[in-house]
Amino acid sequence: MGPQRMYGLTTWVRRLLVANLLVFLIQKTLFVDSTFIKAFAFSPLLAWKQPWTFVTYMFLHAGIVHLAFNMLMLFFFGPSVEERMGGRTFVLFYLLCGIGGALASFPLSQAMPVSQVIGASGAVLGVAVAFAWYWPDDPVFIFPLPDPVPAKWLVTFLVGVDLVLAFLGVSDGVAHPAHLGGVAAALLYLKGRQWHEMRGERRGRQMSESSVLVSQPPRVSRSGSMPPRAAKGGARGDTDPRASAEIDRVLDKISAGGVESLTPAERKFLTEISRRLRTPPKP
């Protein structure tokens, strides 16, 4: 079960919204001096001397419009993604996308002078990508458009704008490569998770297809009585102890490395045992 919602917000989305709002309030009231921004904003030239800025920069914003846009994106896309991933995975994913945005700022510093990068745009855009990944056809209402837009096309449009502006090198005060870094981190994570889940499902199917029943129904004698050994209900029936031990070893190997890890001899042994156990006992 996913995290419970309060006022339509999940736990970590609510915490991230509050954290960003509080930092912005502090930034505009208590620490108005530029020293505060310099200490926590991400600067490609000073990144390795100030490694904490890989995370702290995403909680700073240039103005109320910058903050409002990012928080609205998080408000609309975040709860569903957190419920899908789970709270702990979601917040790690959010931070991963933000760090990806910071890393993508290094090429930007080579193309044009960049003193500081601030904002949660990379992290939030990564969350939007995850929403479009899981629910590509969900309608999203955008004012003043009369009809809703499928999530996949909205996110594609946002990423496309960043891609074009980053390619053109437009100096509009927005770190477009940082946005794209968040997108890249999100796609790498989602694709990796999809591959891991598919691999687990494939291994599960292989194990299901190759597993053998190591117990067999108790044999009934001609007199209608059950042999004493079978009456005890041994897990292996009347299977030879050495064969049982080998079966255990082969099944453990399948569990650890999959069917493809078996040698030809082990495959032949498994096929033979399976054939024997499927053969009904003679009356």
Side-chain angles (χ1 to χ4, degrees), residues 14-241:
R14 185 171 65 252
R15 290 173 179 174
L16 288 170
L17 288 172
V18 171
N20 279 277
L21 290 172
L22 285 178
V23 171
F24 184 75
L25 185 61
I26 292 172
Q27 179 185 339
K28 296 300 180 180
T29 56
L30 299 179
F31 298 100
V32 294
D33 189 84
S34 60
T35 306
F36 179 77
I37 298 295
K38 291 179 180 179
F40 296 103
F42 180 79
S43 175
L45 299 177
L46 301 175
W48 305 117
K49 295 181 180 179
Q50 299 176 321
W52 60 87
T53 59
F54 279 92
V55 174
T56 57
Y57 89 96
M58 66 184 82
F59 293 93
L60 302 173
H61 289 85
I64 190 66
V65 175
H66 188 200
L67 174 72
F69 181 80
N70 284 337
M71 295 305 99
L72 280 174
M73 293 268 288
L74 182 60
F75 175 83
F76 284 118
F77 296 121
S80 297
V81 176
E82 182 178 349
E83 285 186 335
R84 176 66 170 76
M85 291 183 172
R88 182 174 179 272
T89 302
F90 171 77
V91 70
L92 292 176
F93 172 78
Y94 179 91
L95 295 175
L96 173 68
C97 293
I99 293 171
L103 291 174
S105 300
F106 283 104
L108 176 65
S109 65
Q110 301 298 322
M112 62 185 69
V114 176
S115 58
Q116 296 173 340
V117 177
I118 59 175
S121 300
V124 170
L125 197 53
V127 173
V129 168
F131 185 93
W133 178 281
Y134 291 127
W135 305 282
D137 297 316
D138 270 25
V140 180
F141 292 88
I142 304 295
F143 181 82
L145 299 180
D147 297 318
V149 180
K152 60 184 177 183
W153 298 124
L154 173 62
V155 174
T156 299
F157 172 77
L158 294 175
V159 174
V161 170
D162 275 320
L163 190 62
V164 170
L165 295 179
F167 180 77
L168 295 176
V170 177
S171 300
D172 56 357
V174 179
H176 297 289
H179 298 181
L180 296 174
V183 172
L187 290 175
L188 286 174
Y189 173 85
L190 293 168
K191 194 63 180 178
R193 185 167 180 170
Q194 182 188 57
W195 176 83
H196 180 75
E197 291 174 352
M198 292 177 60
R199 187 168 180 266
E201 291 175 1
R202 185 167 60 251
R203 177 174 293 184
R205 287 195 300 267
Q206 289 174 344
M207 290 183 63
S208 176
E209 293 170 359
S210 63
S211 62
V212 295
L213 296 175
V214 295
S215 61
Q216 53 184 327
R219 298 181 182 181
V220 180
S221 65
R222 293 180 181 179
S223 63
S225 61
M226 190 178 298
R229 186 176 180 185
K232 293 181 180 179
R236 304 292 190 221
D238 58 355
T239 306
D240 182 83

